Amino acid sequence: MIRDQGLTSKIWRFAIWTLAVLFVLNLLAVIAAVIVNSFATRWLGTWLPAGWTTRWYFSAWKEFQLSSVVLVTFEIVFTVVIISGILGVTTAYALARRNFPGKGLVVLLFLLPLLIPPLTYGIPLATVLYRLGLGGTFWGVVLINIVPSLPFVVLVMIPFIEQIDPRIEAAARVFGAGTTSLFLRILLPLLLPGMLAALLLVLVRTIAMFELTFLIAGPTTQTLVVSLYYAVFASGVRAGQSIDAMAVVYMVTTLFWLVLALQFVNPTQIVARAKQQSAH
């Protein structure tokens, strides 16, 4: 009996690892195909393209007006990061340092945009923004992206703030430190790693956020991911290599910031923290 259970366990482990490896290989193959096709002169029915070129990147940059799209993307992203950082760190500090009736409910409300699908609240929120005249505008896109970004900052920052001994702040106030001096000289150096982690992850999320941005963006406020969608599905004939070149630009942009963010934060810690807060 014990031998049979051990054999069954080994078979299950083998099956799980096999599926995981196949999934990773399939994902890498898809990415490799997009990258190779973006440099291909012609690629039909062969293992490798007939030739190599970089002209599709120049063509995509001009055809899809990537210079303005990238500029708008980073204007929106950095605005979301700054606003979410200011409001998120302040809120996280209040939640980490104060106990009050209904605190668990407040934390749960902050977690809801992270726990439910974006379209669940995105469609009614977009409807409200259109009624307020913010549909298709820069600030409309910023506001709708702040909804999931602000709770994310709060979620990441609370553990960092809780690690700081409150007696350090009390001692600083005893020696005459004001609120501004306390934050700049005491809290900011201690919170900087957490703030960098939170803000970099918000930056990556906002660049990759398609659903909410798609619902509210106009012709001049499209981010890179929304422009990529329109490039694929809009009417007209476009070279597949140009679209793949645009996809590579988007992938490299997102990957750069994601790798940078992972230098400051462990994703498993964030997931564990989210489960702990939702359990309370």
Side-chain angles (χ1 to χ4, degrees), residues 1-263:
M1 178 69 69
I2 296 176
R3 185 176 179 180
D4 292 340
Q5 290 178 348
L7 180 61
T8 303
S9 177
K10 290 181 180 179
I11 293 174
W12 271 109
R13 284 200 299 268
F14 176 77
I16 292 173
W17 276 107
T18 301
L19 290 174
V21 170
L22 290 175
F23 172 79
V24 172
L25 290 177
N26 182 66
L27 180 63
L28 292 176
V30 171
I31 295 174
V34 172
I35 295 174
V36 170
N37 194 46
S38 69
F39 289 100
T41 55
R42 185 173 177 272
W43 193 14
L44 294 172
T46 58
W47 282 101
L48 291 174
W52 305 92
T53 181
T54 58
R55 70 184 180 92
W56 300 115
Y57 285 87
F58 297 99
S59 174
W61 197 270
K62 181 178 180 180
E63 180 181 1
F64 303 122
Q65 300 178 342
L66 287 185
S67 56
S68 61
V69 170
V70 170
L71 178 61
V72 169
T73 298
F74 281 103
E75 286 178 347
I76 291 172
V77 166
F78 284 113
T79 303
V80 171
V81 166
I82 292 171
I83 296 176
S84 299
I86 295 173
L87 298 179
V89 172
T90 305
T91 305
Y93 183 84
L95 291 175
R97 287 289 187 257
R98 298 288 184 269
N99 290 317
F100 52 87
K103 178 180 176 180
L105 179 60
V106 173
V107 173
L108 179 61
L109 290 175
F110 271 102
L111 290 176
L112 281 180
L114 303 178
L115 299 176
I116 62 178
L119 287 179
T120 304
Y121 60 87
I123 293 176
L125 180 58
T127 302
V128 172
L129 291 175
Y130 272 104
R131 289 178 178 175
L132 295 175
L134 294 173
T137 66
F138 174 87
W139 287 108
V141 177
V142 168
L143 289 174
I144 203 169
N145 276 283
I146 286 177
V147 173
S149 299
L150 177 59
F152 194 82
V153 175
V154 174
L155 177 65
V156 175
M157 287 305 302
I158 286 179
F160 282 94
I161 296 172
E162 288 178 342
Q163 293 173 5
I164 301 175
D165 194 336
R167 291 176 295 182
I168 297 176
E169 302 171 43
R173 291 194 179 276
V174 167
F175 286 99
T179 302
T180 303
S181 179
L182 175 64
F183 176 78
L184 294 177
R185 297 185 179 184
I186 306 297
L187 293 179
L188 183 59
L190 295 174
L191 294 178
L192 191 58
M195 292 174 64
L196 287 175
L199 297 182
L200 283 171
L201 288 172
V202 165
L203 187 148
V204 173
R205 283 175 56 87
T206 307
I207 292 177
M209 178 58 70
F210 171 76
E211 299 96 328
L212 298 180
T213 305
F214 176 76
L215 290 173
I216 201 70
T220 59
T221 55
Q222 294 177 6
T223 58
L224 194 55
V225 63
V226 176
S227 296
L228 177 60
Y229 172 84
Y230 281 118
V232 174
F233 293 103
S235 59
V237 179
R238 293 174 176 82
Q241 292 93 330
S242 293
I243 296 176
D244 285 342
M246 185 178 180
V248 171
V249 171
Y250 166 70
M251 181 173 57
V252 170
T253 302
T254 307
L255 186 62
F256 169 79
W257 291 107
L258 179 60
V259 171
L260 186 61
L262 290 177
Q263 304 303 311

